[in-house]
Amino acid sequence: MTKTCIACGMPMRVTEDYPLGNESKDYCAHCAREDGSMQSYAERAAGMASFIARTQGLDEGAALGAAKALMARLPAWAGRA
Amino acid sequence: MKEHSILEKRTRNRERQKLETSRRIIEAAALVFARDGILATTTAAVALEASVSHGSVFARFGTQAALVSAVIEDLGRGIAARLHELASSGAGTRAVLEAQLRAIAEREDLYARLVVEAPLLPPEARDSLLGWQSAICFHLSPAVEVDTRAGRLKAMPLHLLFNTWVGLLHYYLANRELFAPGASVMARRGGELLDHFMFLISKEGSE
Ligand SMILES: [Zn+2]
């Protein structure tokens, strides 16, 4: 069954997309810590910013701003900016 | 009990209707943006195209910026979904880029407007664009990493590889009247661009 990660918006289609393969979770493997729990707001923002900087070359501050703006639209972080 | 289920059914119908109206507004907006430009389009023109009242556009999207943002997200979701399917089947770099070209070609009128107008759009809409560029990178990067490790691609920073590709595509899209007057520039020149880009990033003798 396809769910959308509440913490990053990625569609989760296969078991490997879920944290530790646990399909009952509403967040994806990329948004989980090693023990399977969901990352904090700060951890997720830093992770998303470093991904944006690495893949699109944005300035670090601009990447963090963009990550936070995108996160504010997701259910897990609604209203935060 | 019976009354309860009738009420539930009504609520469900209302929810569905709301979704259908939002869908219709997004599709109408995409059409008018593609035809007349994003910034040049008023919400009244979108309402007219969607055959809904002006009020219901605002009831659903609140602001012009939110509507633009919703259309951009819809466009990006479509492109990313195509790449998602491919990437999870272990496709190589060229196949992922080819799928991206095809997905852009399908909605080229709108996509080209977005390329030209992006720097002038409200921040909310620009964030949406960046969000799905990230999704595209997310699907492309595993293929690039595999091809690079296998010695098929030159080792280079991912952001330079991606920005070189996007820069090339967007230059042709922004000037499509010069490169393919009256036609789809992706359909007409996309193959040439992809060949050239693969030539630039491939290790000698690997292609
Ligand atoms: Zn996630």
Side-chain angles (χ1 to χ4, degrees):
Chain A
M1 175 191 139
T2 300
K3 284 197 269 187
T4 299
C5 172
I6 57 165
C8 76
M10 186 185 96
M12 302 184 283
R13 297 194 182 153
V14 291
T15 309
E16 295 80 70
D17 289 339
Y18 290 86
L20 308 176
N22 183 348
E23 297 192 20
S24 72
K25 298 294 185 195
D26 294 319
Y27 51 91
C28 78
H30 306 282
C31 295
R33 302 187 177 119
E34 266 179 37
D35 67 359
S37 63
M38 194 172 92
Q39 291 177 5
S40 70
Y41 179 76
E43 285 168 329
R44 190 75 288 255
M48 209 184 266
S50 90
F51 178 77
I52 293 173
R54 185 171 72 86
T55 55
Q56 293 176 79
L58 265 66
D59 164 83
E60 271 173 41
L64 188 61
K68 288 181 173 175
L70 290 169
M71 284 169 71
R73 301 175 183 187
L74 295 160
W77 324 107
R80 304 187 65 157
Chain B
M1 207 46 204
K2 206 172 164 197
E3 241 169 70
H4 183 73
S5 70
I6 290 172
L7 215 69
E8 253 184 13
K9 212 172 167 184
R10 269 196 206 140
T11 314
R12 262 206 310 276
N13 280 343
R14 252 203 309 276
E15 283 302 312
R16 210 185 45 225
Q17 251 167 27
K18 258 195 210 161
L19 273 177
E20 274 166 15
T21 308
S22 298
R23 185 75 238 149
R24 201 156 86 222
I25 294 170
I26 287 179
E27 276 165 17
L31 202 126
V32 186
F33 289 170
R35 191 186 63 209
D36 305 337
I38 301 170
L39 288 162
T41 296
T42 60
T43 42
V46 173
L48 190 71
E49 180 67 38
S51 315
V52 300
S53 70
H54 198 187
S56 83
V57 174
F58 279 101
R60 270 155 196 91
F61 296 96
T63 61
Q64 165 100 356
L67 176 62
V68 172
S69 192
V71 171
I72 294 175
E73 263 176 35
D74 184 62
L75 174 67
R77 232 190 327 268
I79 299 174
R82 292 287 215 52
L83 302 193
H84 187 102
E85 280 159 29
L86 248 190
S88 43
S89 71
T93 303
R94 188 184 174 102
V96 177
L97 297 179
E98 215 162 20
Q100 186 189 358
L101 277 182
R102 270 201 308 274
I104 293 173
E106 276 172 26
R107 304 198 68 188
E108 189 176 307
D109 291 343
L110 177 60
Y111 194 105
R113 289 285 187 191
L114 184 58
V115 167
V116 172
E117 297 185 37
L120 306 169
L121 294 178
E124 197 178 341
R126 288 205 311 270
D127 288 336
S128 298
L129 180 58
L130 195 109
W132 59 259
Q133 292 287 13
S134 293
I136 291 173
C137 285
F138 181 76
H139 297 311
L140 181 63
S141 59
V144 169
E145 275 155 22
V146 168
D147 283 341
T148 306
R149 263 200 309 274
R152 290 186 287 268
L153 298 184
K154 292 174 191 158
M156 64 180 79
L158 201 52
H159 69 275
L160 287 174
L161 181 140
F162 186 72
N163 289 347
T164 303
W165 170 242
V166 170
L168 184 64
L169 283 189
H170 285 194
Y171 181 72
Y172 275 71
L173 282 160
N175 297 288
R176 66 198 190 122
E177 279 309 317
L178 301 177
F179 293 116
S184 158
V185 71
M186 290 291 102
R188 199 157 139 194
R189 309 297 287 267
E192 180 193 7
L193 300 184
L194 182 59
D195 283 345
H196 177 64
F197 183 68
M198 289 309 296
F199 165 74
L200 289 179
I201 65 172
S202 295
K203 266 201 176 156
E204 249 168 85
S206 68
E207 261 222 297

